């Protein structure tokens, strides 16, 4: 089992910045990717950014490229999301996600673990 705890959300004005943190604990062995998803009211949950636990390679949604940066601290098992130039469209609940390699019990589908979410509201 993997436990994920997010922090850093809040209410900010357009153009401001926030830094989200996700601390992972438990059976983190074999976690190969961590990322951030978000879900706005009335919309589907979408991938915002992801980072490989091995190589550190990153991927971003087109809507946040150039504004958001995902990073990690391997020593503390923590992943961060630096959000700059925030827009009202960024308002959502942000969820931390971790994936572990699947096995026979999961029919080789990756295991997904989720944090409880942290609210980000961008409003003037």
């Amino acid at each position: 089992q993997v436990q994920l705890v997010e922090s850093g959300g809040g209410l900010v004005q357009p153009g401001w910045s926030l830094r989200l943190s996700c601390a992972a604990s438990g059976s983190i062995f074999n976690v190969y990717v961590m990322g951030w998803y978000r879900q706005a009211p009335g919309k589907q949950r979408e991938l915002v950014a992801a980072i490989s636990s091995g190589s550190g390679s990153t991927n971003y949604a087109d809507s946040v490229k150039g504004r958001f940066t995902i990073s990690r601290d391997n020593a503390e098992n923590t992943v961060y999301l630096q959000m700059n130039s925030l827009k009202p469209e960024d308002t959502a609940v942000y969820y931390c996600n971790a994936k572990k390699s699947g096995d026979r019990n999961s029919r080789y589908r990756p295991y997904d673990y989720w944090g409880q979410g942290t609210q980000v509201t961008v409003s003037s």
Side-chain angles (χ1 to χ4, degrees):
Q1 182 70 281
V2 175
Q3 293 81 44
L4 304 173
V5 180
E6 305 103 327
S7 62
L11 172 63
V12 297
Q13 298 181 22
W16 289 20
S17 297
L18 280 174
R19 181 178 168 90
L20 306 183
S21 299
C22 174
S25 61
S27 300
I28 60 175
F29 181 74
N30 284 339
V31 171
Y32 64 89
V33 66
M34 295 186 66
W36 291 93
Y37 291 72
R38 69 185 181 187
Q39 187 166 25
K43 295 185 177 181
Q44 295 279 90
R45 184 175 298 187
E46 64 173 343
L47 175 67
V48 177
I51 185 167
S52 168
S53 299
S55 67
S57 61
T58 58
N59 287 289
Y60 297 93
D62 289 340
S63 59
V64 307
K65 286 181 179 177
R67 299 189 297 120
F68 291 10
T69 303
I70 189 170
S71 61
R72 66 182 184 182
D73 185 333
N74 290 334
E76 298 183 5
N77 298 313
T78 302
V79 64
Y80 304 94
L81 185 67
Q82 179 67 44
M83 305 185 294
N84 297 328
S85 302
L86 283 163
K87 305 175 181 180
E89 305 93 276
D90 297 317
T91 296
V93 177
Y94 284 71
Y95 297 91
C96 185
N97 170 263
K99 298 184 186 296
K100 295 179 66 174
S101 299
D103 54 24
R104 289 190 298 172
N105 291 332
S106 68
R107 297 187 177 182
Y108 300 100
R109 297 181 62 186
Y111 291 100
D112 268 312
Y113 301 91
W114 297 91
Q116 64 181 9
T118 184
Q119 177 71 50
V120 172
T121 302
V122 185
S123 176
S124 59

